[in-house]
Structure formats: structure tokens, C-alpha cells
Amino acid sequence: MILLAASSQAQIPDVRQLARDIAAQSSDSEQEVRVTAFMEQVRAIGTPLLENDTTAVFIYHGPGKRVRISGDMTHWASEVEFARIPNTDVHYYRGTYPAEARLEYALIVDDHPPIPDPLCPNKVLNGLGALSELVMPAYRYHPIFEAVRGGTFGNYDRVTQYQLPAGIMGYPTEIHIYAPPGYDTSEDSFPAVFLQDGRDYIEYAHTPAALDHLIESEAIAPILAVFISPPNRHQPATPNRATEYGLNPDYAHFMAEELVPFVQERYRTIAQPSARLVAGPSFGGLVSAYVPFRHPDIFGLSYSQSGYLSFRGDSLLDAYERSGRKSVRLFVDIGRYERSVGRGWLPDDEVDFLAANRRFQDLLAAKGYDFVYREYPEGHTWGNWRAHLMDALAHFFPAGLTH
């Protein structure tokens, strides 16, 4: 797989030198000249400025007496103050991070709501809007996402929307089904991945276009993708993703007894557990480890992205511990900046997703499961999940795969 560098180093302006220059100038006009020249350099490069492999400098220039940053680097649990250069409207913060890190963040000016960094060209969309993106020098973008830095894109050809009638769940379910390139002219049957938070994978992870790229470049075998959207998406009303994904046996039955037959009646899929993957992020990662556990005769593959595995005091981990080893292969990954997810609305003893995923890793190893476990210097974000979904797909469905 060819990877592109996240950024290239260039001569960057030195904010500490600016502070020294301002202090040395007694003339307001000369200070303004220095600030103007400095900001022209900053805007030409974009922020954060990378001083070296591990130091990033965030700059804010504009009205406001107090500027703070919150993001993956603060685990979204706190805010860090910027310093202000006296006699100017330039604020800055220098942070140290792993060279391979990719972190998302927002700025808070005075008492206003958080905003993307006005000087950062890289944005990542999610269900709450856009966040700015810090990309350290050793992070590598996949080419498919290098093309969309700072924006959105999508190739949604061969994606068809369906509405499943009310059944086990008591209400209709919206799904989208992606057919791989060449599906219409082929007589083959295909593996299938069943993605929780389906519309989010389409809109924020650009999954249809990513699948096109992976399949056409022979990075993975051709697969079918079923995007399952929870009701009341991004709304507090019930039912919603929490009522579905919170270890709900009815939802597991719905997937096994209604969704799989619905897909099989309309598409050529391989009717084997080893050819069916359940995948999802966060709460969706929890249910993606739960559904194959409940129905290993239907779903033989599980991918938990940043899974909320601490849910209800490690209830799913306890179930794995009490049970014999299921015939399920797993891929589990988590960001090392996921130590305070949902603080303020999740129970305090459940917000450390990293610790819970590490407990799950230990449990899977002790039980003898076939699994992959990975950690990344990233946070609980779609920028994380969209990139690493491709790693799991290449693991489960390599090019040339036969069933």
C-alpha cells in the first residue's frame, strides 16, 4: 500500500522570536509591521506550525482576550490556555506530541462556543460539525484521504438505499448497500461487511469511495458493504444507537434473523460466517463485538473501532470471560488519546476506553482467540476510524481471498 507524507517541512516562523521582537520595539507601528509580516508567513504555511518532529505550535490571531484549545490532546476533558504576546492580538500554544500522532481539536475564544482553528487548512467532519486536524510529521495519509484533507468527497455509485419494515425492533430500519465494482457483470458471490452507524461511515469516513479505491487497486478482495443507520440519528430521542447498541439481544437477533436474509435475497453474498464482518465505532464497536458473540453461526468476524467496552461495568468482557471460546475472529483497535471519552455524560468509571480495550486484549489472549489488537496515537474521531477501517478490511478480506 502506497502512503503519502502528511506534510512537508518548510521554514516556519518562530513565535518566540516574534515575542522578543515585539518586546524590543517601542513603536506601535513597528510592532504592527512585525505582526503583519509574521502572520503573512503563518497564513502561507497554515497551522499548527511544526517546529520539529514532536513540537507543534498553535496560533490564533484576532479579537479575544482569552484563547484555549480542547481536543484529543486534552482527551476533551480539559482546556489549555494560549499565551498572548503583549501589545498584540497574537495568541499561541506550544505542545509536544508523538511524531506519528494525528489529533483533532477546536479553539475556544473568550466565552464563545468552540470553533475550528481559522488558520488550520485541515478539517475533519463528524456528527457535531467540523474539527481541525493536527498532523505530526511521521503520520502518513492513505492517498484516498490525502485527496479530501480540508473538505469532503464521495463516490456513492452502486449504493442503494432500502427501508426494512418493522420487525423484531418494532420500527423500520434504514440501510444502504454498496455493491463492488464489476458486481453487475460478475456471477460471483461476495463477502459482506455490516457497518453500524451506517450513514456516518458514508458521510464522514467516505467508505464507498474508499472501497472503490481498495478494490480497484487490489488492496482487498471485492466485498459488499451494508450500512445500517440507527433511528433518530444524532438526536436524543429514543430509540437510538444507544438503545440498539447497548448489548440489546433484540438488535443482535434483528441482524441475524432479519437483516442477513434481507441482504441475501437481493445480493449475491457468501453464506458463511467467515465471510460476514460486523464493524462499528464507539458504541458501534461494542455491538460489533457483541453480535458475533451472540450469533457466531451467522457472523464469524468482528471489528471494534474504539469500542465502548467499559459499558455497564465491562458487561461484555464478563460475558466473554464466562463463555467458552466462540468461533469468531476479531480485530480491535483504539486510540491512545481515548482516556476520557464522554466525560460528563458517561459514568466516570467507564470513560477510559483505552484501559477497557486493553483489558479486552488480555482477555482475548487468555481465551485463545484469533485476534489483532492495535493502538494508534489518535483520538475518538472519524479521522481515526476512516483510516484504520481499511487496515481491518485488508486483514479480513485480502486480495485473492477464497472461501
mmCIF file of all heavy atoms in Angstrom, residues 5-36:
data_model
loop_
_atom_site.group_PDB
_atom_site.id
_atom_site.type_symbol
_atom_site.label_atom_id
_atom_site.label_comp_id
_atom_site.label_asym_id
_atom_site.label_seq_id
_atom_site.Cartn_x
_atom_site.Cartn_y
_atom_site.Cartn_z
ATOM 1 N N ALA A 5 3.169 11.283 2.566
ATOM 2 C CA ALA A 5 3.519 12.034 3.764
ATOM 3 C C ALA A 5 2.397 12.985 4.117
ATOM 4 O O ALA A 5 1.766 13.590 3.259
ATOM 5 C CB ALA A 5 4.821 12.817 3.521
ATOM 6 N N ALA A 6 2.154 13.132 5.409
ATOM 7 C CA ALA A 6 1.086 14.014 5.853
ATOM 8 C C ALA A 6 1.422 15.469 5.577
ATOM 9 O O ALA A 6 0.558 16.280 5.291
ATOM 10 C CB ALA A 6 0.849 13.815 7.349
ATOM 11 N N SER A 7 2.648 15.848 5.682
ATOM 12 C CA SER A 7 3.034 17.224 5.426
ATOM 13 C C SER A 7 4.518 17.280 5.123
ATOM 14 O O SER A 7 5.263 16.364 5.407
ATOM 15 C CB SER A 7 2.722 18.103 6.651
ATOM 16 O OG SER A 7 3.451 17.654 7.761
ATOM 17 N N SER A 8 4.954 18.331 4.527
ATOM 18 C CA SER A 8 6.370 18.503 4.249
ATOM 19 C C SER A 8 6.883 19.670 5.082
ATOM 20 O O SER A 8 6.207 20.686 5.249
ATOM 21 C CB SER A 8 6.586 18.773 2.754
ATOM 22 O OG SER A 8 5.851 19.897 2.343
ATOM 23 N N GLN A 9 8.088 19.507 5.606
ATOM 24 C CA GLN A 9 8.662 20.537 6.438
ATOM 25 C C GLN A 9 9.088 21.721 5.574
ATOM 26 O O GLN A 9 9.627 21.569 4.482
ATOM 27 C CB GLN A 9 9.865 19.992 7.191
ATOM 28 C CG GLN A 9 9.480 19.114 8.378
ATOM 29 C CD GLN A 9 8.981 19.948 9.542
ATOM 30 O OE1 GLN A 9 8.035 20.711 9.400
ATOM 31 N NE2 GLN A 9 9.632 19.821 10.680
ATOM 32 N N ALA A 10 8.838 22.920 6.058
ATOM 33 C CA ALA A 10 9.282 24.144 5.407
ATOM 34 C C ALA A 10 9.796 25.071 6.491
ATOM 35 O O ALA A 10 9.587 24.837 7.675
ATOM 36 C CB ALA A 10 8.124 24.789 4.637
ATOM 37 N N GLN A 11 10.479 26.132 6.075
ATOM 38 C CA GLN A 11 10.942 27.129 7.036
ATOM 39 C C GLN A 11 9.724 27.764 7.689
ATOM 40 O O GLN A 11 8.847 28.294 7.003
ATOM 41 C CB GLN A 11 11.778 28.196 6.327
ATOM 42 C CG GLN A 11 12.401 29.198 7.263
ATOM 43 C CD GLN A 11 13.452 28.556 8.155
ATOM 44 O OE1 GLN A 11 14.157 27.658 7.715
ATOM 45 N NE2 GLN A 11 13.553 29.028 9.382
ATOM 46 N N ILE A 12 9.655 27.706 9.001
ATOM 47 C CA ILE A 12 8.457 28.202 9.667
ATOM 48 C C ILE A 12 8.809 29.420 10.509
ATOM 49 O O ILE A 12 9.920 29.550 11.016
ATOM 50 C CB ILE A 12 7.811 27.129 10.544
ATOM 51 C CG1 ILE A 12 8.710 26.742 11.714
ATOM 52 C CG2 ILE A 12 7.412 25.920 9.722
ATOM 53 C CD1 ILE A 12 8.030 25.894 12.753
ATOM 54 N N PRO A 13 7.865 30.326 10.666
ATOM 55 C CA PRO A 13 8.108 31.486 11.519
ATOM 56 C C PRO A 13 8.192 31.066 12.981
ATOM 57 O O PRO A 13 7.537 30.123 13.411
ATOM 58 C CB PRO A 13 6.881 32.372 11.266
ATOM 59 C CG PRO A 13 5.829 31.446 10.749
ATOM 60 C CD PRO A 13 6.553 30.361 10.014
ATOM 61 N N ASP A 14 8.979 31.780 13.747
ATOM 62 C CA ASP A 14 9.246 31.456 15.146
ATOM 63 C C ASP A 14 8.440 32.407 16.027
ATOM 64 O O ASP A 14 8.747 33.601 16.109
ATOM 65 C CB ASP A 14 10.745 31.586 15.425
ATOM 66 C CG ASP A 14 11.122 31.136 16.828
ATOM 67 O OD1 ASP A 14 10.227 31.054 17.693
ATOM 68 O OD2 ASP A 14 12.316 30.882 17.059
ATOM 69 N N VAL A 15 7.420 31.882 16.702
ATOM 70 C CA VAL A 15 6.551 32.740 17.508
ATOM 71 C C VAL A 15 7.296 33.324 18.703
ATOM 72 O O VAL A 15 7.021 34.455 19.134
ATOM 73 C CB VAL A 15 5.291 31.966 17.951
ATOM 74 C CG1 VAL A 15 5.640 30.874 18.963
ATOM 75 C CG2 VAL A 15 4.244 32.904 18.516
ATOM 76 N N ARG A 16 8.269 32.594 19.247
ATOM 77 C CA ARG A 16 9.023 33.131 20.370
ATOM 78 C C ARG A 16 9.938 34.276 19.930
ATOM 79 O O ARG A 16 10.157 35.233 20.679
ATOM 80 C CB ARG A 16 9.816 32.006 21.034
ATOM 81 C CG ARG A 16 8.904 30.997 21.754
ATOM 82 C CD ARG A 16 9.675 29.842 22.330
ATOM 83 N NE ARG A 16 10.284 29.023 21.278
ATOM 84 C CZ ARG A 16 10.990 27.925 21.509
ATOM 85 N NH1 ARG A 16 11.173 27.508 22.762
ATOM 86 N NH2 ARG A 16 11.507 27.237 20.511
ATOM 87 N N GLN A 17 10.438 34.169 18.685
ATOM 88 C CA GLN A 17 11.227 35.281 18.152
ATOM 89 C C GLN A 17 10.347 36.506 17.953
ATOM 90 O O GLN A 17 10.770 37.643 18.196
ATOM 91 C CB GLN A 17 11.887 34.882 16.836
ATOM 92 C CG GLN A 17 12.780 35.959 16.232
ATOM 93 C CD GLN A 17 13.929 36.325 17.156
ATOM 94 O OE1 GLN A 17 14.641 35.455 17.646
ATOM 95 N NE2 GLN A 17 14.106 37.615 17.426
ATOM 96 N N LEU A 18 9.104 36.280 17.507
ATOM 97 C CA LEU A 18 8.173 37.398 17.372
ATOM 98 C C LEU A 18 7.976 38.085 18.719
ATOM 99 O O LEU A 18 7.973 39.325 18.799
ATOM 100 C CB LEU A 18 6.829 36.918 16.822
ATOM 101 C CG LEU A 18 5.731 37.984 16.789
ATOM 102 C CD1 LEU A 18 6.076 39.096 15.802
ATOM 103 C CD2 LEU A 18 4.370 37.369 16.451
ATOM 104 N N ALA A 19 7.795 37.299 19.775
ATOM 105 C CA ALA A 19 7.602 37.882 21.101
ATOM 106 C C ALA A 19 8.819 38.725 21.503
ATOM 107 O O ALA A 19 8.678 39.822 22.073
ATOM 108 C CB ALA A 19 7.357 36.775 22.128
ATOM 109 N N ARG A 20 10.009 38.229 21.197
ATOM 110 C CA ARG A 20 11.211 39.007 21.516
ATOM 111 C C ARG A 20 11.278 40.296 20.690
ATOM 112 O O ARG A 20 11.647 41.355 21.187
ATOM 113 C CB ARG A 20 12.459 38.160 21.298
ATOM 114 C CG ARG A 20 12.602 37.014 22.306
ATOM 115 C CD ARG A 20 13.974 36.356 22.200
ATOM 116 N NE ARG A 20 14.116 35.595 20.961
ATOM 117 C CZ ARG A 20 13.826 34.298 20.852
ATOM 118 N NH1 ARG A 20 13.349 33.627 21.899
ATOM 119 N NH2 ARG A 20 14.012 33.672 19.708
ATOM 120 N N ASP A 21 10.906 40.186 19.405
ATOM 121 C CA ASP A 21 10.934 41.366 18.532
ATOM 122 C C ASP A 21 9.940 42.422 19.015
ATOM 123 O O ASP A 21 10.242 43.625 19.014
ATOM 124 C CB ASP A 21 10.603 40.976 17.099
ATOM 125 C CG ASP A 21 11.704 40.154 16.441
ATOM 126 O OD1 ASP A 21 12.831 40.134 16.987
ATOM 127 O OD2 ASP A 21 11.424 39.522 15.399
ATOM 128 N N ILE A 22 8.758 41.988 19.413
ATOM 129 C CA ILE A 22 7.735 42.931 19.886
ATOM 130 C C ILE A 22 8.218 43.622 21.151
ATOM 131 O O ILE A 22 8.058 44.837 21.335
ATOM 132 C CB ILE A 22 6.404 42.210 20.131
ATOM 133 C CG1 ILE A 22 5.820 41.682 18.810
ATOM 134 C CG2 ILE A 22 5.411 43.113 20.839
ATOM 135 C CD1 ILE A 22 5.490 42.752 17.799
ATOM 136 N N ALA A 23 8.820 42.864 22.042
ATOM 137 C CA ALA A 23 9.310 43.444 23.292
ATOM 138 C C ALA A 23 10.419 44.464 23.043
ATOM 139 O O ALA A 23 10.585 45.415 23.827
ATOM 140 C CB ALA A 23 9.819 42.334 24.210
ATOM 141 N N ALA A 24 11.165 44.274 21.964
ATOM 142 C CA ALA A 24 12.293 45.167 21.664
ATOM 143 C C ALA A 24 11.860 46.445 20.953
ATOM 144 O O ALA A 24 12.655 47.379 20.823
ATOM 145 C CB ALA A 24 13.326 44.436 20.819
ATOM 146 N N GLN A 25 10.609 46.489 20.469
ATOM 147 C CA GLN A 25 10.138 47.638 19.710
ATOM 148 C C GLN A 25 9.243 48.512 20.593
ATOM 149 O O GLN A 25 8.302 48.036 21.213
ATOM 150 C CB GLN A 25 9.339 47.181 18.477
ATOM 151 C CG GLN A 25 10.131 46.322 17.512
ATOM 152 C CD GLN A 25 11.293 47.059 16.898
ATOM 153 O OE1 GLN A 25 11.223 48.270 16.661
ATOM 154 N NE2 GLN A 25 12.383 46.332 16.641
ATOM 155 N N SER A 26 9.545 49.783 20.644
ATOM 156 C CA SER A 26 8.718 50.712 21.424
ATOM 157 C C SER A 26 7.634 51.363 20.574
ATOM 158 O O SER A 26 6.660 51.892 21.106
ATOM 159 C CB SER A 26 9.600 51.801 22.054
ATOM 160 O OG SER A 26 10.320 52.508 21.045
ATOM 161 N N SER A 27 7.775 51.311 19.280
ATOM 162 C CA SER A 27 6.821 51.949 18.381
ATOM 163 C C SER A 27 5.664 51.008 18.064
ATOM 164 O O SER A 27 5.880 49.860 17.659
ATOM 165 C CB SER A 27 7.525 52.355 17.083
ATOM 166 O OG SER A 27 6.594 52.639 16.069
ATOM 167 N N ASP A 28 4.429 51.502 18.232
ATOM 168 C CA ASP A 28 3.258 50.693 17.905
ATOM 169 C C ASP A 28 3.254 50.311 16.431
ATOM 170 O O ASP A 28 2.896 49.183 16.064
ATOM 171 C CB ASP A 28 1.974 51.440 18.241
ATOM 172 C CG ASP A 28 1.759 51.584 19.741
ATOM 173 O OD1 ASP A 28 2.460 50.890 20.505
ATOM 174 O OD2 ASP A 28 0.887 52.386 20.127
ATOM 175 N N SER A 29 3.661 51.266 15.571
ATOM 176 C CA SER A 29 3.640 50.985 14.137
ATOM 177 C C SER A 29 4.644 49.906 13.773
ATOM 178 O O SER A 29 4.372 49.039 12.924
ATOM 179 C CB SER A 29 3.914 52.271 13.346
ATOM 180 O OG SER A 29 5.184 52.795 13.689
ATOM 181 N N GLU A 30 5.814 49.919 14.404
ATOM 182 C CA GLU A 30 6.813 48.902 14.116
ATOM 183 C C GLU A 30 6.364 47.543 14.629
ATOM 184 O O GLU A 30 6.591 46.506 13.981
ATOM 185 C CB GLU A 30 8.156 49.284 14.740
ATOM 186 C CG GLU A 30 9.282 48.325 14.408
ATOM 187 C CD GLU A 30 9.561 48.212 12.923
ATOM 188 O OE1 GLU A 30 9.354 49.207 12.190
ATOM 189 O OE2 GLU A 30 9.979 47.115 12.470
ATOM 190 N N GLN A 31 5.717 47.530 15.790
ATOM 191 C CA GLN A 31 5.173 46.273 16.300
ATOM 192 C C GLN A 31 4.126 45.709 15.337
ATOM 193 O O GLN A 31 4.100 44.503 15.069
ATOM 194 C CB GLN A 31 4.563 46.499 17.686
ATOM 195 C CG GLN A 31 5.584 46.760 18.771
ATOM 196 C CD GLN A 31 4.942 47.037 20.115
ATOM 197 O OE1 GLN A 31 3.750 47.311 20.193
ATOM 198 N NE2 GLN A 31 5.734 46.989 21.186
ATOM 199 N N GLU A 32 3.302 46.567 14.800
ATOM 200 C CA GLU A 32 2.267 46.123 13.851
ATOM 201 C C GLU A 32 2.905 45.564 12.591
ATOM 202 O O GLU A 32 2.417 44.560 12.033
ATOM 203 C CB GLU A 32 1.338 47.292 13.513
ATOM 204 C CG GLU A 32 0.186 46.911 12.605
ATOM 205 C CD GLU A 32 -0.770 48.059 12.371
ATOM 206 O OE1 GLU A 32 -0.698 49.065 13.090
ATOM 207 O OE2 GLU A 32 -1.600 47.932 11.446
ATOM 208 N N VAL A 33 3.984 46.189 12.134
ATOM 209 C CA VAL A 33 4.690 45.682 10.952
ATOM 210 C C VAL A 33 5.217 44.278 11.217
ATOM 211 O O VAL A 33 5.096 43.377 10.364
ATOM 212 C CB VAL A 33 5.844 46.635 10.568
ATOM 213 C CG1 VAL A 33 6.768 45.977 9.552
ATOM 214 C CG2 VAL A 33 5.296 47.939 10.022
ATOM 215 N N ARG A 34 5.795 44.064 12.399
ATOM 216 C CA ARG A 34 6.327 42.740 12.740
ATOM 217 C C ARG A 34 5.214 41.694 12.779
ATOM 218 O O ARG A 34 5.379 40.580 12.273
ATOM 219 C CB ARG A 34 7.049 42.794 14.091
ATOM 220 C CG ARG A 34 8.252 43.710 14.136
ATOM 221 C CD ARG A 34 9.379 43.214 13.256
ATOM 222 N NE ARG A 34 10.520 44.107 13.266
ATOM 223 C CZ ARG A 34 11.721 43.786 13.700
ATOM 224 N NH1 ARG A 34 11.942 42.582 14.174
ATOM 225 N NH2 ARG A 34 12.715 44.663 13.657
ATOM 226 N N VAL A 35 4.084 42.041 13.398
ATOM 227 C CA VAL A 35 2.969 41.096 13.475
ATOM 228 C C VAL A 35 2.424 40.786 12.089
ATOM 229 O O VAL A 35 2.154 39.628 11.749
ATOM 230 C CB VAL A 35 1.852 41.650 14.389
ATOM 231 C CG1 VAL A 35 0.577 40.806 14.249
ATOM 232 C CG2 VAL A 35 2.313 41.682 15.825
ATOM 233 N N THR A 36 2.292 41.803 11.252
ATOM 234 C CA THR A 36 1.764 41.593 9.902
ATOM 235 C C THR A 36 2.660 40.660 9.102
ATOM 236 O O THR A 36 2.183 39.734 8.427
ATOM 237 C CB THR A 36 1.625 42.939 9.172
ATOM 238 O OG1 THR A 36 0.692 43.758 9.885
ATOM 239 C CG2 THR A 36 1.127 42.731 7.751
#
